[in-house]
Short mmCIF file of all heavy atoms in Angstrom, two decimals:
data_model
loop_
_atom_site.label_atom_id
_atom_site.label_comp_id
_atom_site.label_asym_id
_atom_site.label_seq_id
_atom_site.Cartn_x
_atom_site.Cartn_y
_atom_site.Cartn_z
N TYR A 206 7.90 -27.37 27.73
CA TYR A 206 7.70 -26.75 26.41
C TYR A 206 6.29 -26.93 25.90
O TYR A 206 5.74 -28.02 26.00
CB TYR A 206 8.62 -27.41 25.36
CG TYR A 206 10.08 -27.31 25.68
CD1 TYR A 206 10.79 -28.44 26.09
CD2 TYR A 206 10.76 -26.11 25.54
CE1 TYR A 206 12.14 -28.37 26.36
CE2 TYR A 206 12.11 -26.03 25.81
CZ TYR A 206 12.80 -27.17 26.22
OH TYR A 206 14.13 -27.09 26.49
N GLN A 207 5.75 -25.89 25.32
CA GLN A 207 4.49 -26.08 24.59
C GLN A 207 4.82 -26.79 23.29
O GLN A 207 5.80 -26.46 22.61
CB GLN A 207 3.83 -24.73 24.29
CG GLN A 207 2.50 -24.92 23.55
CD GLN A 207 1.85 -23.61 23.16
OE1 GLN A 207 2.04 -22.59 23.81
NE2 GLN A 207 1.07 -23.64 22.09
N ASP A 330 20.03 -6.93 18.06
CA ASP A 330 18.75 -7.63 17.92
C ASP A 330 18.81 -8.99 18.61
O ASP A 330 17.87 -9.38 19.31
CB ASP A 330 18.42 -7.85 16.43
CG ASP A 330 17.82 -6.60 15.78
OD1 ASP A 330 17.64 -5.60 16.50
OD2 ASP A 330 17.54 -6.64 14.57
N GLU A 331 19.90 -9.71 18.40
CA GLU A 331 20.02 -11.03 19.01
C GLU A 331 20.01 -10.93 20.53
O GLU A 331 19.41 -11.75 21.22
CB GLU A 331 21.31 -11.72 18.54
CG GLU A 331 21.25 -12.13 17.09
CD GLU A 331 22.39 -13.05 16.66
OE1 GLU A 331 23.33 -13.28 17.48
OE2 GLU A 331 22.35 -13.54 15.54
N GLU A 367 1.52 -0.44 28.70
CA GLU A 367 0.64 -1.58 28.43
C GLU A 367 0.88 -2.72 29.41
O GLU A 367 0.22 -3.77 29.32
CB GLU A 367 0.88 -2.12 27.01
CG GLU A 367 0.58 -1.16 25.89
CD GLU A 367 -0.90 -0.92 25.72
OE1 GLU A 367 -1.70 -1.77 26.17
OE2 GLU A 367 -1.26 0.11 25.15
N ARG A 389 5.71 -11.17 19.21
CA ARG A 389 5.14 -9.94 18.68
C ARG A 389 5.80 -8.71 19.30
O ARG A 389 6.11 -7.74 18.61
CB ARG A 389 3.63 -9.93 18.93
CG ARG A 389 2.93 -8.67 18.45
CD ARG A 389 2.95 -8.55 16.94
NE ARG A 389 2.11 -9.56 16.36
CZ ARG A 389 0.81 -9.42 16.14
NH1 ARG A 389 0.25 -8.27 16.39
NH2 ARG A 389 0.09 -10.39 15.64
N GLN B 524 -4.28 -9.04 14.83
CA GLN B 524 -4.42 -8.92 16.28
C GLN B 524 -3.25 -8.12 16.84
O GLN B 524 -2.13 -8.22 16.36
CB GLN B 524 -4.41 -10.31 16.91
CG GLN B 524 -5.73 -11.04 16.84
CD GLN B 524 -5.69 -12.29 17.69
OE1 GLN B 524 -4.77 -13.08 17.57
NE2 GLN B 524 -6.69 -12.48 18.53
N LYS B 550 -1.38 -15.63 22.86
CA LYS B 550 -0.06 -16.22 23.11
C LYS B 550 0.72 -16.22 21.82
O LYS B 550 0.22 -16.65 20.79
CB LYS B 550 -0.24 -17.65 23.62
CG LYS B 550 1.05 -18.30 24.11
CD LYS B 550 0.77 -19.60 24.85
CE LYS B 550 1.98 -20.14 25.57
NZ LYS B 550 3.00 -20.66 24.69
N TYR B 557 17.33 -21.79 21.48
CA TYR B 557 18.68 -22.00 21.99
C TYR B 557 19.71 -21.51 20.97
O TYR B 557 19.34 -20.84 20.00
CB TYR B 557 18.87 -23.48 22.34
CG TYR B 557 17.96 -23.92 23.48
CD1 TYR B 557 16.73 -24.52 23.24
CD2 TYR B 557 18.31 -23.66 24.80
CE1 TYR B 557 15.90 -24.88 24.28
CE2 TYR B 557 17.48 -24.00 25.86
CZ TYR B 557 16.28 -24.61 25.60
OH TYR B 557 15.45 -24.96 26.64
N ARG B 565 16.42 -14.36 14.26
CA ARG B 565 16.78 -13.00 13.83
C ARG B 565 16.26 -12.74 12.42
O ARG B 565 15.77 -11.67 12.10
CB ARG B 565 18.29 -12.80 13.89
CG ARG B 565 18.73 -11.43 13.40
CD ARG B 565 20.15 -11.08 13.79
NE ARG B 565 21.09 -12.16 13.57
CZ ARG B 565 21.56 -12.49 12.37
NH1 ARG B 565 21.18 -11.83 11.30
NH2 ARG B 565 22.41 -13.49 12.24
N LYS B 572 10.05 -6.97 10.46
CA LYS B 572 10.35 -5.55 10.25
C LYS B 572 9.91 -5.11 8.86
O LYS B 572 9.33 -4.05 8.68
CB LYS B 572 11.84 -5.28 10.40
CG LYS B 572 12.37 -5.41 11.82
CD LYS B 572 13.86 -5.06 11.82
CE LYS B 572 14.51 -5.30 13.17
NZ LYS B 572 15.95 -5.01 13.14
N LYS B 583 -1.86 3.65 18.25
CA LYS B 583 -1.09 2.46 18.60
C LYS B 583 -1.35 1.30 17.65
O LYS B 583 -0.78 0.23 17.79
CB LYS B 583 -1.50 2.02 20.02
CG LYS B 583 -1.16 3.03 21.09
CD LYS B 583 -1.41 2.45 22.47
CE LYS B 583 -2.86 2.06 22.66
NZ LYS B 583 -3.12 1.37 23.92
#
Side-chain angles (χ1 to χ4, degrees):
Chain A
Y206 301 108
Q207 181 184 332
D330 280 358
E331 290 191 353
E367 298 288 339
R389 178 67 69 89
Chain B
Q524 279 189 310
K550 188 168 191 290
Y557 295 96
R565 178 165 46 76
K572 290 182 186 178
K583 296 188 300 174

